[in-house]
Amino acid sequence: VQEYEGQPVLTWWQDPLIAGGQSNAGEVIMNSSYRQIAVVRAGNGYQPDLHEFQITSQDTALITVYTGIDCNLSALGGPRDGAVADTLLQEIDLRTGLVMFEWHSLDHVALSDSYAAPFPGTQTTPFDYFHINSIDVEQDGDLLVGSRNTWAAYDVDPHTGQVRWQLGGKHS
């Protein structure tokens, strides 16, 4: 249960979600009469995952995304022709569906910060070095991003994407 446009709503992640001519993952928003009032999709060609769907007080949504990208993991003891999960978050404008902000863990956190092993490290099962678990909006507007596999929480500037500080992990 969350709040959208000042009203209580029920929300969930669904895959596949068939709506608007599309059959891929999405987030559903239902009103108190159990009528669908919105379907939220990830932007920029991504699929949302089930870890986070948080409606903000600005009627935007914070969602999480996992996507595999090719990566040489040999420096970590993994496969040279491997793949890593690029874990990211997006802030989506609920009225327009536009991506307002996008943050990629790979741009800010080193693969070597992970406590996970780089196996199997393939496109079908990429090295999940970060594994985003949660996002929270702090009182100052910064985003607090929780990572399972680096054993840390990161304070992220919602304008620049820079990590201001981290609690836990290898560089607390």
Side-chain angles (χ1 to χ4, degrees), residues 25-45:
E27 316 284 358
V28 179
I29 303 175
M30 296 274 203
N31 68 16
S32 61
S33 299
Y34 302 104
R35 289 191 184 92
Q36 182 176 295
I37 56 175
V39 169
V40 182
R41 306 270 189 199
N44 301 330

Side-chain angles (χ1 to χ4, degrees), residues 87-89 91 100-109 130 141-145 154-165:
T87 304
L88 59 125
L89 71 86
E91 182 177 15
M100 307 297 291
F101 176 74
E102 185 171 288
W103 183 85
H104 294 252
S105 61
L106 282 172
D107 292 339
H108 302 281
V109 180
F130 192 80
D142 281 5
L143 301 173
L144 187 62
V145 178
Y154 300 85
D155 180 275
V156 174
D157 181 308
H159 305 290
T160 67
Q162 294 302 306
V163 174
R164 294 183 196 265
W165 53 261

Side-chain angles (χ1 to χ4, degrees), residues 10-157:
L10 183 62
T11 65
W12 67 86
W13 173 84
Q14 187 171 319
D15 184 20
L17 173 61
I18 301 168
Q22 294 185 41
S23 177
N24 49 20
E27 316 284 358
V28 179
I29 303 175
M30 296 274 203
N31 68 16
S32 61
S33 299
Y34 302 104
R35 289 191 184 92
Q36 182 176 295
I37 56 175
V39 169
V40 182
R41 306 270 189 199
N44 301 330
Y46 294 114
Q47 293 290 308
D49 86 319
L50 58 92
H51 282 83
E52 187 71 81
F53 176 48
Q54 184 180 145
I55 298 174
T56 71
S57 58
Q58 292 78 35
D59 289 336
T60 64
L62 296 170
I63 64 170
T64 53
V65 173
Y66 285 74
T67 189
I69 60 171
D70 293 334
C71 182
N72 180 348
L73 300 171
S74 62
L76 302 169
R80 181 171 305 285
D81 59 344
V84 66
D86 185 13
T87 304
L88 59 125
L89 71 86
Q90 290 183 336
E91 182 177 15
I92 307 290
D93 183 299
L94 291 174
R95 288 183 188 88
T96 65
L98 295 175
V99 176
M100 307 297 291
F101 176 74
E102 185 171 288
W103 183 85
H104 294 252
S105 61
L106 282 172
D107 292 339
H108 302 281
V109 180
L111 294 175
S112 59
D113 286 356
S114 183
Y115 289 95
F119 297 103
T122 64
Q123 270 293 340
T124 53
T125 311
F127 170 37
D128 189 8
Y129 93 103
F130 192 80
H131 197 104
I132 194 168
N133 269 342
S134 62
I135 309 164
D136 194 26
V137 181
E138 299 180 70
Q139 287 182 348
D140 64 1
D142 281 5
L143 301 173
L144 187 62
V145 178
S147 165
R148 178 186 304 172
N149 290 339
T150 63
W151 303 355
Y154 300 85
D155 180 275
V156 174
D157 181 308

